[in-house]
Every structure is written in C-alpha cells, then in structure tokens.
Amino acid sequence: MNDTHDDTKAPMDDPAAPPIHPNDVDRRRILRLLKNRRRYRYVTPTVLPGPEGYIVRSPCCSRTVDSAGGVIDVAWLRFRSGHNVWHLYRRDHITDAWVIQSAQPSLIEAVAELNDDPARVYWT
C-alpha cells in the first residue's frame, strides 16, 4: 500500500480548486442545445459565463420586456456543487431579480426545461 500524497493535485472539495463551472465546453453545449427550443427560434441567443454557471441572453422579439427589442437576460443555469444539482432561474424583469424555477440533476435536463418553457417564463 502506498501512502504518498501528491500535493500538486487539489482534492475535489478543496475551496482553492478552480470551479468546474463555467467552462467553455459546457457553454458551447448549451448553445447547441438551445437550437432545440420551442419559442423564439428566429433569434440567436448568447450564453455567457455567470456565477457558478451560465447566463442565457436573447433579443426580446415580443417587445414585452424591452420595447426596442434589445438583448435581455432569459435564464441562469447555476451548478450547485455541494448538492450536485443544476438550479434553473428565470429573470423577473419587473423586480430585476433572478427567481429559481427548478432543480435538475443534469445540465441537459435543465436546458430541456428552458427549451420547452410551457409557462412562457423564460422566452418572453
């Protein structure tokens, strides 16, 4: 049995270790998955690094939030490493605050909910 310890590798729960999200691989994965959305398929959303995850922005074609059709925040996908879960938030544009909508076990399931949006809380 070998009891040596490699100090060059940070353990998974080391607070000094860099966060796993955001990263460019998952940012591009989200962009690719957003092509499957049901609403506002004619606009091109952007996905930016955000706190512990990704911010989805898109032009506001309905003009309900921005009468000029400017770019608005649509969703925040936040990875909660302590719980190993993805929190999906919508933007409340009236209060200018993020509101949690759900917790999903995977990034793919969180983006699927964002794409489906049956209550129209994201793609306004």
Side-chain angles (χ1 to χ4, degrees):
M1 185 160 145
N2 187 348
D3 287 336
T4 62
H5 177 70
D6 184 358
D7 288 328
T8 62
K9 295 182 181 179
M12 295 293 284
D13 59 352
D14 183 353
I20 58 174
H21 294 288
N23 65 67
D24 200 52
V25 171
D26 283 321
R27 187 190 66 77
R28 288 185 305 214
R29 178 179 295 141
I30 295 165
L31 275 172
R32 190 173 57 251
L33 290 168
L34 286 174
K35 292 178 182 177
N36 298 322
R37 69 188 179 278
R38 296 180 60 187
R39 292 181 173 49
Y40 299 107
R41 295 185 55 119
Y42 45 85
V43 297
T44 303
T46 57
V47 178
L48 303 171
E52 302 175 45
Y54 310 88
I55 304 291
V56 178
R57 292 189 175 146
S58 179
C60 180
C61 294
S62 69
R63 314 272 195 218
T64 58
V65 175
D66 184 337
S67 60
V71 175
I72 63 167
D73 289 334
V74 173
W76 175 21
L77 297 148
R78 181 182 186 194
F79 183 67
R80 303 306 310 233
S81 59
H83 303 284
N84 202 29
V85 69
W86 285 91
H87 285 174
L88 178 58
Y89 297 80
R90 69 173 174 84
R91 189 67 175 180
D92 182 334
H93 296 281
I94 294 171
T95 63
D96 199 29
W98 290 107
V99 178
I100 191 165
Q101 289 298 116
S102 72
Q104 299 294 339
S106 73
L107 178 60
I108 291 172
E109 290 176 80
V111 176
E113 179 180 329
L114 174 60
N115 281 344
D116 191 35
D117 191 19
R120 297 183 180 198
V121 295
Y122 304 105
W123 303 97
T124 58

